[in-house]
Amino acid sequence: MAAPLELSCWGGGWGLPSVHSESLVVMAYAKFSGAPLKVSVIDNTWRGSRGDVPILTTEDKIVSQPAKILNFLRKQKYNADYELSARQGADTLAYIALLEEKLLPAVLHTFWVESDNYFTVTKPWFASRIPFPLSLILPGRMSKGALTRILLTRGEPPLYHLREVEAQIYRDAKECLNLLSNRLGTSQFFFGDTPSTLDAYVFGFLAPLYKVRFPKVQLQEHLKQLSNLCRFCDDILNTYFRLSLGGKAGSSQLIFVCISPAGQETVDANLQKLTQLVNKESNLIEKMDDNLRQSPQLPPRKLPTLKLTPAEEESDSLQRLSP
């Protein structure tokens, strides 16, 4: 009997099994390859605060980071790329590199740096799933980590100012979305009728951007104009994921089942109630933040600089963070 595989990751919302892109990549690949993953939703661990969720645990091994987890699953004979040619395998690597270079910075900015989105959506969602008092600390730390990662990859001459960096990353992201749309065309998946690693990565990056309801939707609006990419996300969600909020109280496991449209309405109503509770909690947290910022004992907060020391670059380049 094969060793049990358990995936620890951030939970879901807005009809998604997870709002965390890297967790979605692994979950989608497991579905495509038939890997029998037991998915456990974490409230939070210190390991998760450093950005190395998702984590795959077996009887004798712990694996983190999507690329390493997917390689581990392939070694266990769960290979979604079995039918791909060498040329298609090379294309897969090229497109994944494109996603991480061109699209990921804009996704990080949308979730973690754009002020309205962060305070209205991202911070309340994550804070509601992190035990107090870590809920007051970790969302801000994750936001700073996202900004640092953006600046490390984009904050170089001639882009000296944050606004210039923001403008460039959104231009790059829209160009990347256009390329993905042209490559997909009218096909169901990127290499025909069977999903592969590339489909898992594209789905993981696009689905949160497509489904999460943000007040600032610059990149989301552009994505929704590309109907084939939206159809691609919807097809994978409808075919491979049906999220049920049922189960025992306090259960930390995600259960994927087929549910009727009436059942989906119940799910949406529950999510709406949860969002309202989270927003109330967020208002209290923001008031505490305002009081701390107004305290004369604290120095004024400085804007992040674009120039990092070599030591900081070496340290921060090892950290991986995504929504």
Side-chain angles (χ1 to χ4, degrees):
M1 179 180 293
L5 304 175
E6 181 173 353
L7 182 72
S8 299
C9 62
W10 289 106
W14 296 278
L16 298 172
S18 176
V19 301
H20 183 240
S21 288
E22 294 185 344
S23 297
L24 275 180
V25 170
V26 177
M27 294 167 74
Y29 183 88
K31 290 288 186 179
F32 299 161
S33 64
L37 287 190
K38 174 186 175 182
V39 179
S40 297
V41 174
I42 62 169
D43 286 329
N44 191 263
T45 64
W46 284 106
R47 178 179 299 172
S49 72
R50 297 197 300 269
D52 50 5
V53 172
I55 301 169
L56 182 69
T57 305
T58 68
E59 289 181 343
D60 57 358
K61 195 175 184 67
I62 296 178
V63 188
S64 62
Q65 300 179 9
K68 293 181 180 179
I69 294 175
L70 267 56
N71 285 335
F72 176 83
L73 293 177
R74 293 188 190 102
K75 293 179 181 178
Q76 304 302 310
K77 310 300 184 183
Y78 301 112
N79 189 356
D81 299 338
Y82 180 78
E83 298 182 356
L84 296 187
S85 66
R87 173 64 182 272
Q88 290 172 331
D91 287 346
T92 296
L93 296 177
Y95 274 99
I96 290 174
L98 177 71
L99 287 167
E100 293 180 342
E101 179 183 355
K102 299 294 186 180
L103 185 58
L104 180 58
V107 173
L108 290 175
H109 190 278
T110 298
F111 272 84
W112 294 101
V113 181
E114 169 56 54
S115 179
D116 289 345
N117 293 345
Y118 173 70
F119 285 106
T120 304
V121 177
T122 309
K123 181 179 179 181
W125 192 92
F126 280 88
S128 71
R129 286 155 176 81
I130 301 174
F132 181 87
L134 297 181
S135 59
L136 303 177
I137 302 171
L138 295 187
R141 183 177 298 175
M142 296 165 76
S143 176
K144 291 177 181 177
L147 178 59
T148 298
R149 184 170 181 180
I150 292 171
L151 295 179
L152 281 171
T153 57
R154 287 293 185 269
E156 298 177 354
L159 304 178
Y160 291 100
H161 301 291
L162 185 57
R163 288 187 178 180
E164 294 175 343
V165 173
E166 293 173 359
Q168 183 62 50
I169 63 176
Y170 280 105
R171 283 195 298 268
D172 289 345
K174 290 177 181 179
E175 179 183 355
C176 180
L177 291 176
N178 292 339
L179 290 172
L180 291 173
S181 179
N182 291 333
R183 177 65 182 81
L184 180 63
T186 58
S187 300
Q188 183 178 7
F189 301 108
F190 280 88
F191 296 117
D193 298 330
T194 304
S196 63
T197 297
L198 179 57
D199 298 284
Y201 269 89
V202 174
F203 173 74
F205 279 79
L206 294 190
L209 189 63
Y210 172 44
K211 289 294 186 178
V212 177
R213 301 185 184 99
F214 293 112
K216 291 292 183 67
V217 292
Q218 177 183 170
L219 190 57
Q220 191 177 68
E221 287 181 341
H222 186 79
L223 172 59
K224 289 184 176 180
Q225 293 174 3
L226 304 173
S227 59
N228 62 339
L229 293 182
C230 297
R231 183 264 307 160
F232 169 83
C233 293
D234 287 331
D235 285 351
I236 291 178
L237 286 170
N238 292 330
T239 302
Y240 295 95
F241 299 100
R242 278 315 226 174
L243 181 59
S244 171
L245 299 183
K248 297 180 180 180
S251 172
S252 62
Q253 296 182 17
L254 285 177
I255 306 172
F256 297 99
V257 298
C258 292
I259 58 177
S260 64
Q264 183 63 49
E265 292 176 0
T266 301
V267 171
D268 292 340
N270 290 336
L271 288 174
Q272 184 177 5
K273 292 179 181 178
L274 176 61
T275 302
Q276 292 173 351
L277 293 174
V278 169
N279 287 336
K280 291 181 180 179
E281 181 180 342
S282 176
N283 291 334
L284 294 176
I285 295 173
E286 291 178 20
K287 289 180 180 179
M288 295 177 65
D289 290 343
D290 290 339
N291 291 335
L292 289 174
R293 283 193 291 266
Q294 293 172 4
S295 172
Q297 298 177 359
L298 295 177
R301 185 178 180 180
K302 297 181 180 179
L303 291 174
T305 59
L306 297 178
K307 193 66 177 177
L308 299 176
T309 66
E312 289 173 327
E313 290 182 358
E314 181 179 358
S315 175
D316 289 325
S317 65
L318 298 177
Q319 298 182 5
R320 294 183 58 85
L321 176 66
S322 67

